[in-house]
Amino acid sequence: MSDDPRRLVPRTDTLLADPQLAAAGERLGRGLVRSAVQRVQQRIRDGEVAPAAAVDAVLACLPGSASSLRPVLNATGVLVHTNLGRAPLSAAAVEAVTAAAGTTDVELDLATGRRGPRGAAAIAALLDAVPAAEAAIVVNNCAAALALVATALGAGRELVLARGELVEIGDGFRIPELLVSTGARLREVGTTNRATPADYRGALGPDTGAVLKVHPSNFVVRGFTRSVAVGELAAVLEGSGIPLVADVGSGLLRPHSTLPDEPDLQSTLAAGADLVLASGDKLLGGPQAGLILGRAELVERLRRHPLYRALRVDKTTLAALEATLRGPLPPVQAMLAADLDGLRARARVLAQRLTAAGVEAVAVGSEARVGGGGAPEHPLPSAAVALPASFAEALRRSPRPVVGRVEDGRTLLDLRSVPPSADEDLARAVLEVAAR
Ligand SMILES: *Cc1c(COP(=O)(O)O)cnc(C)c1O
């Protein structure tokens, strides 16, 4: 029995003291290493691993980092993909996040040594980018911005909202349910397809806390339709003192030539909204955040509300937001701007390289989308590499996961949502899968 491997299972302490595993413990945390050690000890007892190979076996099953979130190449052609973490940050924003991640002067004025306003630089960057705004604050996401507005302006009162704008964003998140959960009452106006200024006028009264306009960012209503533009609504509210709040969703700062139907913060304020709300991680291309901009007195009311403290963002978000606004074009904006000839050329080069290696690959035309971020039904001409359908799952499960799109029995790797700098990684991932 003395050669029974089960009797020779190395002790946990002995393994943890091994220099390579101790170093891994420093990097990943001892808990992660300890649980890998326990898994390997079990495999030794089961006779699957030789006792002498214990250290190598533990090293082989350690995760690459202490977080299990893994980088994924987004080849879906959906530029802002909620399941893939929406906007990828620019290199400048990543650098800013890293710098801010330690102790930082987020609320300290280093010149005077006194407490300073939190996130002042990110706010200043927002106000420079949207000159129509007098003031701004940043909260956790656009849902938080809606919750704060509804609580501060609408709790115990009425929020007036068109029936055609009772939007479900996704994963069961329904804006009207969020609004009501704050204690506000919804005063719905118009019908699914039509609302007129007169509908709004008829709904206003002493109980009105605010009028809300929500951009239908993931659907379109066509046919016999009528909605009331921000400018028209501002005229209806003129002199009433009732705030007009517009949730524009996508976070475009200014009009975008490629997406003419997508509202933007600057124009919406200029048209007469008192407050505008948007997400930071959709078309703005920054970190998850809820942006609230507009009239100073209203913004100050929100900032003074106790709920604001529960919704405010951390230093890394403020750093990423400032770098997104001040730094080079963030990836989402670059993807929107990518020209079709360039995308086609990349697809051809990739397809040739894969074909030369024996992979059945062909460059094809494709239609990309903005995605959960806005511009519903607005196709963006694109180019893709088409592979056999079976690649979709294999690529998703590969060590460097790639998510493509299955269409007409093929796997399409759409290049509009892939930064050009990642083409090499994409090729390697496909070749690895093909070699199996
Ligand atoms: C996406 C979206 C939201 C929700 O934004 P989050 O930042 O995900 O909370 C709210 N309103 C509109 C119009 C949206 O498009």
Side-chain angles (χ1 to χ4, degrees):
M1 284 300 283
S2 61
D3 59 350
D4 182 342
R6 282 165 287 196
R7 301 190 51 189
L8 299 170
V9 177
R11 291 163 46 88
T12 305
D13 288 349
T14 312
L15 285 173
L16 288 176
D18 173 272
Q20 288 186 84
L21 296 189
E26 290 283 316
R27 197 169 67 81
L28 299 171
R30 275 170 72 89
L32 274 178
V33 179
R34 182 183 293 272
S35 68
V37 161
Q38 286 161 352
R39 284 201 302 279
V40 167
Q41 286 170 324
Q42 186 55 48
R43 287 166 61 197
I44 294 174
R45 273 179 226 112
D46 294 343
E48 293 171 13
V49 172
V55 169
D56 286 343
V58 174
L59 287 171
C61 71
L62 283 175
S65 78
S67 156
S68 61
L69 283 180
R70 294 160 72 194
V72 172
L73 266 177
N74 174 12
T76 59
V78 179
L79 307 196
V80 178
H81 200 302
T82 299
N83 300 156
L84 297 178
R86 290 200 182 150
L89 294 180
S90 66
V94 171
E95 202 180 299
V97 166
T98 308
T103 42
T104 178
D105 59 347
V106 66
E107 262 184 58
L108 183 73
D109 183 336
L110 291 172
T112 63
R114 296 217 193 85
R115 180 175 195 160
R118 184 181 174 85
I123 300 292
L126 264 178
L127 296 179
D128 283 351
V130 185
E134 295 169 3
I137 48 171
V138 183
V139 290
N140 180 58
N141 56 11
C142 193
L146 281 164
L148 182 58
V149 163
T151 308
L153 307 181
R157 313 188 67 191
E158 283 184 355
L159 294 174
V160 177
L161 178 61
R163 291 203 167 89
E165 298 175 11
L166 302 171
V167 178
E168 172 170 327
I169 298 299
D171 195 26
F173 166 53
R174 294 177 168 172
I175 288 179
E177 292 175 356
L178 172 74
L179 297 173
V180 167
S181 77
T182 66
R185 291 193 305 278
L186 277 195
R187 180 70 185 260
E188 299 173 11
V189 300
T191 61
T192 307
N193 54 329
R194 289 177 70 85
T196 63
D199 292 327
Y200 282 94
R201 227 175 272 120
L204 302 179
D207 273 358
T208 309
V211 172
L212 200 58
K213 214 169 146 59
V214 175
H215 175 53
S217 53
N218 53 9
F219 68 99
V220 265
V221 181
R222 251 189 301 266
F224 185 52
T225 63
R226 165 84 159 99
S227 66
V228 183
V230 167
E232 287 179 281
L233 261 181
V236 169
L237 296 176
E238 179 86 59
S240 68
I242 297 170
L244 172 55
V245 182
D247 172 7
V248 305
S250 74
L252 277 184
L253 299 169
R254 279 172 293 275
H256 197 290
S257 54
T258 308
L259 306 172
D261 297 330
E262 203 56 23
D264 66 276
L265 297 169
Q266 171 69 17
S267 313
T268 307
L269 282 173
D274 298 300
L275 287 177
V276 286
L277 319 179
S279 298
D281 55 356
K282 294 181 177 172
L283 289 174
L284 184 69
Q288 178 186 305
L291 315 177
I292 306 176
L293 297 90
R295 280 188 22 219
E297 173 262 323
L298 286 171
V299 170
E300 189 55 18
R301 241 165 96 188
L302 299 178
R303 209 170 61 77
R304 291 270 158 231
H305 194 283
L307 185 61
Y308 167 65
R309 177 62 186 238
L311 303 175
R312 73 177 195 182
V313 293
D314 84 322
K315 58 197 176 183
T316 56
T317 299
L318 291 166
L321 181 61
E322 182 187 356
T324 300
L325 292 162
R326 298 257 191 233
L329 209 61
V332 168
Q333 295 283 335
M335 290 165 183
L336 258 185
D339 84 306
L340 185 56
D341 286 342
L343 294 168
R344 283 185 181 137
R346 286 169 59 200
R348 271 198 307 274
V349 168
L350 255 173
Q352 270 161 18
R353 169 150 177 217
L354 297 173
T355 309
V359 180
E360 198 184 308
V362 38
V364 297
S366 170
E367 272 189 1
R369 301 269 162 188
V370 167
E377 307 223 320
H378 187 101
L380 302 165
S382 187
V385 174
L387 302 169
S390 61
F391 271 83
E393 184 183 347
L395 281 169
R396 207 176 60 237
R397 300 172 75 125
S398 79
R400 172 76 161 106
V402 175
V403 180
R405 182 168 95 232
V406 176
E407 210 170 271
D408 301 330
R410 300 178 303 184
T411 296
L412 295 190
L413 303 180
D414 192 311
L415 295 182
R416 193 179 275 277
S417 58
V418 177
S421 60
D423 282 1
E424 179 58 30
D425 283 349
L426 190 60
R428 256 193 264 133
V430 175
L431 292 174
E432 267 172 44
V433 163
R436 276 196 231 138

